Amino acid sequence: MASVNPFNLSDSEEEAERRPNETVDTERSPSDGAPGPPLGNPFSPPADAEPPTLLLSSNRTSPSGEGIAVSVAASSAMAGGADTRVSVDVIAAQLLRDQYILTALEFHTELLEAGRELPRLRDYFSNPGNFERQSGTPPAKDQVLGPGGPLNRAGSISTLDSLDFARYSDDGNRETDERVAVLEFELRKAKETIQALRANLTQAAESEVPSQERKNFKSSPEIQEPIRPLEKRALNFLVNEYLLKNEYKLSSITFSDENDDQDFELWDDVGLNIPKPPDLLQLYRNCGTPLPSPRDTVDVSVGVDFGDLPGNCIPQDPPKKPDLSQQQQTEVVEELEYQISLLNNEKQSLAEQIKKLQSEIQTLKRTVSSPPSTLDLGSQNTLNATSSSSTSAPCADHHSVPPTDNGQYLDIRGVSEADAAPTPTSNQNASQPHPQSHNKLRSRPPVQFDKPNRKLSPAFQQALLSFCRMCSDSRLGAEVSRIADSEESVMLMLGRCLPHIVPNVLLAKREELIPLILCTACLHPEPKERDQLLHILFNLIKRPDDEQRQMILTGCVAFARHVGPTRVEAELLPQCWEQINHKYPERRLLVAESCGALAPYLPKEIRSSLVLSMLQQMLTEDKADMVREAVVKSLGIIMGYIDDPDKYSQGFELMLLSLGDPSERVVSAVHQVFIPAFAAWTTELGTLQSALIPSLLARIEKLLMQGEHGLDEHKLHVFLSALQSLIPPLFAVVLQNAPFTSRAKLHGDIPAIEVTRFPRPASPLQDVATIIGSREMLSALLLLYDHQLEHEGTTGWDSLLWVVNQLLPQLIEIVGRINVTSSTCVHEFSRFFWRFCRTFGKIFTNTKVKPQFQEILRLSEENVDASAGNDILTKATVPIYATGVLTCYNQEEDRKLLVGFLEDVMTTLSLSHAPLDSLKASFVELGANPVYHELLLTVLWYGVVHTSALVRCTAARMFELLVKGVNETLVAQRVVPALITLSSDPEISVRISTIPAFGTIMETVTQKELLERVKMQLASFLEDPQYQDQHSLHMEIIRTFGRVGPNAEPRFRDEFVLPHLHKLALANNSQAVESKRIDIATQLFEAYSALSCCFISEEVMVNHFLPGLRCLRADMEQLSPEHEVILCSMIKECEIKVENRGMADAQGSMSIASSLVGEDAKTKFLSKMGQLTTSGAMLANVFQRKK
């Protein structure tokens, strides 16, 4: 039983009749929103302590004493005690009833002095309404006191708690001082009345929603509760305040007009019993988190002396010094008002916790496997735990509040209360968890603590514990003060805390939070919280690097595996979509990589529609190469999982679009990832041979038809490279659809595949073994493949027959239509056929590819007759066959076949007087690889010793192409001897054909011995009398000098080239044949134009270059006046150069003499510079021009 003041006994019938109503009024259930501190607060009064009560009810103003809210629960327990004497309460009631007011006041004063306060008298004299006058004029001093009339004690009757007994006596009448004291008291009471009315208004507003509807809202958290009137008024005030602060004055005026029933200048007009919240901006920044206390104080229930509260029913310590000053009373009132605001804040946070707990209960109802009715019972028991506790301990029901936890937390705030509670059953009921929600919690034994063998009173023990500095009124304090005891509670706690943790972690270490964020996002029951956590994940790092992106992607994949396709679509994809146009390329790169990583875990409809569209948009719009590269790779992954045949055309267009990307890294990603994945899909669809490859071939043919006047080599490269990347999947199709596929067995002795059997793949996806499945299976199939081709043929082998009968003829036809002079096209097709033949194998090449080329390239003179249309040997078929097919295998018989083919082509073209472009293209392509230099020299030596002068001329011209790529050792040992042999050939045409090769040697070789030999041979051509009238020889020499002169050694140019050009120009002046004269003059003009860009010494310029130009001008004056103008300007420029050099030399000769004079000036200048120590502005003035 609770302790009771022995002087506070009453057995009046009126109070006994009033007690049941008070009990009902004070014992409210937690759901009614009664204010008070939480149950788990260790600083709240213990169960056996006497509860202080703030009398805020307006019923106290009744003069008759009816309806007075006397919340002393202990008095009800003593009411049954019978006593034969007349109680003091009966006497007081009789005095008040008969209007013996002064006598009652004296009786009340005597009881106070004796330490016995009577509630009836205290309430009567503390109510100013019992003493209000009917008029504003003070009564006469001799006025007789009548029933209900005013007293003539003073102008305004002072109540008990505003009287100063040391200052006043029954004698005298200090009207002024009394009126001041009474007005102060009335002001305080008015404030309390306003506070009580506002509290009643808040409760009325909260109860406006019907109880059934509120239950529906609680049971279904996803249904939003309608806005309450007071909430609307508060939000209106904050919105209007925001509009005014941000200069939206017209909007504020309009908003005020639409809400004319509200005063926007005064927050108290809202009517809420809470202090004014922060503005909208602060609320937005705090994201709705519970606001901290406005002042740095401890819990409101810590260290509060309830005896100091006004209106306390049972004071803990009777006032020994009732003469408090006015200032002290004001401070007490202000402190109490502040504590009331704190209590209202706590009430608000408790209401929010109630909503969270109700949502948790609904989640448990959905997840637990027990029957719904049982779960509802458990939930109801949990919610009503506080009310059951208040029933067993009625003395504490004024402070009973809704529980802050649903039993799933180990609340450290309840430890001291558990120790201090005299009845463990009440505490156990208050903290009991759901009996059906978690087996782990149900089986958890209660925590026991050792109790000291002391006899401290609970009040003293609580006051002693109040010195422990603990804070649970802030957001962080509330989280720290309770420990989660279940998986779901941990998730809820992490969901609340992570948004506050992430901004305070260093950017370089935020990836450490990824596991925590993902785990919480996976298991959190609230969709909004999960969305917020995933938003944090994708915005975790401002510009994530490769490693950080890999961590985020790994987490996203783990999340997707855990939650399934539906949640991936609903929760992860929106995060990707939000950042598709982010300003940082690293974030867009994360989106592109996420689309590929999440592709296996998405619904197939979303995979082939939304994700494909997102990637297509990024491919066409994104400007960053690395983002488009990631997009292409993700598209390849999508192609590996797509199963909608209607998307084939979109995939083909995406392939062509990405192949045309200007970035090499994007195109490389297409060949490495996209094309192999797309080819694998078309293989399953059966359209690789019927649609994909034919589409590319058709585009190549169309390009060749359009490019008769200029081929777009870039587009040709795009299509041909795509076709080349399709060779491995094509060969895999041939193997998988072969007649022997069913006979392939993996057991037994299977030889390993040769390392050089296949070309090096661009990526693992282009490895035939990867496409087939394993190297063992590929090895077994290759054995059967070679055996089938060599012994059994291709009957019934549709996939291979398509390659032989349709693909190869079409490719050979395309090859014959390309321009043989385009080295790029020749190289592209050569590489394609080389990879094609290497992939399909040697037997296939020898039996299927070579025969088709040889059928077309019949080596006879008839095949180079351009007039008859048989000019196949002059087309690109020759170099592509030689470099793409005959070089696939490098064994002896293969090399002999290549040498024989080139010798035959050289002989045939030479004897037919056909263009040598196809042969030159073959030599250029083969000469780029040093492996074939010896082979080519062998072919050329065959031409050197050939009996036909035409063949020897061709061989001499081919040396010019070969010299640039051959090392100097081979040039000295094989090339120069062959050229010297040809230079002494009986046929003058053969000798002339060697001049370009000699010139190329002069241009590229650095060995002096070789240069001297070449120089001597060229000098013999120029100085030997037998060549003086050889017009063709002079033309070839001048052409060669103009080509190699700028790149040749300067000494060779100055001592050999320019003097001989001078001689040729001088000799041309006396040329009688005008046609020969103009030919030589034209070639000389080209040579001098090329050599004019070189540095030429003054001596050579004066002695040879300028005289040669003047001779040439003399020819051009008669033959070509337009050239003569150019020559005049060239001569003038050269003369200016000579004059400038002369002046420079003169200045150089004077430099020695002038340096002596300059030393003195230099010394003076430096000394003056040393005097400038003030500023840079003065230094700049030194160099300023005089005006």
Side-chain angles (χ1 to χ4, degrees), residues 377-535:
L377 258 176
S379 305
Q380 190 65 31
N381 290 340
T382 302
L383 286 174
N384 295 333
T386 305
S387 60
S388 63
S389 174
S390 62
T391 304
S392 61
C395 61
D397 53 21
H398 185 74
H399 290 278
S400 63
V401 295
T404 59
D405 302 293
N406 61 352
Q408 297 184 9
Y409 295 93
L410 299 177
D411 198 335
I412 66 171
R413 295 176 295 179
V415 173
S416 60
E417 185 177 353
D419 293 341
T423 56
T425 56
S426 174
N427 183 34
Q428 185 177 359
N429 291 335
S431 62
Q432 177 141 8
H434 293 282
Q436 287 85 10
S437 61
H438 292 282
N439 295 331
K440 179 180 178 181
L441 295 180
R442 186 172 59 229
S443 61
R444 184 186 183 91
V447 181
Q448 300 292 336
F449 299 97
D450 295 334
K451 296 183 179 180
N453 189 15
R454 300 291 299 277
K455 296 182 179 180
L456 297 176
S457 68
F460 182 86
Q461 188 176 11
Q462 180 179 349
L464 184 63
L465 290 176
S466 68
F467 288 94
C468 298
R469 297 182 62 84
M470 291 189 287
C471 177
S472 60
D473 57 346
S474 64
R475 178 195 61 80
L476 186 58
E479 297 292 349
V480 172
S481 63
R482 56 182 182 178
I483 300 173
D485 199 21
S486 70
E487 292 84 352
E488 186 171 354
S489 301
V490 172
M491 292 303 107
L492 294 172
M493 181 270 294
L494 289 175
R496 293 189 300 268
C497 293
L498 278 174
H500 302 278
I501 295 172
V502 171
N504 298 308
V505 179
L506 291 175
L507 284 173
K509 294 295 181 183
R510 284 192 180 177
E511 64 266 23
E512 301 291 340
L513 293 171
I514 294 175
L516 207 58
I517 295 173
L518 283 167
C519 218
T520 309
C522 277
L523 303 176
H524 202 285
E526 294 294 332
K528 290 184 178 179
E529 294 293 332
R530 295 199 301 266
D531 182 73
Q532 181 184 8
L533 289 168
L534 291 175
H535 180 75

Side-chain angles (χ1 to χ4, degrees), residues 534-584:
L534 291 175
H535 180 75
I536 291 174
L537 175 67
F538 274 81
N539 294 273
L540 190 63
I541 302 166
K542 188 176 182 180
R543 305 181 77 160
D545 56 23
D546 288 341
E547 184 176 354
Q548 291 167 337
R549 287 197 309 274
Q550 289 176 13
M551 289 299 103
I552 296 175
L553 289 178
T554 305
C556 289
V557 170
F559 179 88
R561 289 176 176 172
H562 188 274
V563 302
T566 304
R567 278 184 60 183
V568 173
E569 175 191 352
E571 298 176 12
L572 270 184
L573 273 189
Q575 303 297 333
C576 296
W577 184 260
E578 286 179 4
Q579 306 206 19
I580 195 172
N581 292 317
H582 200 278
K583 65 177 180 178
Y584 292 129

Side-chain angles (χ1 to χ4, degrees), residues 11 83-91:
D11 55 356
D83 199 342
T84 56
R85 64 183 176 84
V86 179
S87 66
V88 292
D89 188 69
V90 173
I91 297 173

Side-chain angles (χ1 to χ4, degrees), residues 1008-1027:
K1008 291 184 178 180
E1009 296 178 358
L1010 282 178
L1011 292 176
E1012 288 298 326
R1013 293 176 66 182
V1014 172
K1015 186 175 169 183
M1016 289 173 60
Q1017 185 61 47
L1018 291 175
S1020 67
F1021 286 144
L1022 290 168
E1023 298 172 359
D1024 195 333
Q1026 62 175 331
Y1027 300 118

Side-chain angles (χ1 to χ4, degrees), residues 918-956:
S918 61
L919 186 62
K920 288 180 180 180
S922 302
F923 269 74
V924 169
E925 187 70 23
L926 292 172
N929 190 350
V931 174
Y932 298 107
H933 287 173
E934 285 281 357
L935 184 144
L936 294 176
L937 288 173
T938 302
V939 174
L940 291 181
W941 187 253
Y942 166 81
V944 169
V945 298
H946 199 276
T947 56
S948 172
L950 295 174
V951 177
R952 294 198 300 271
C953 286
T954 302

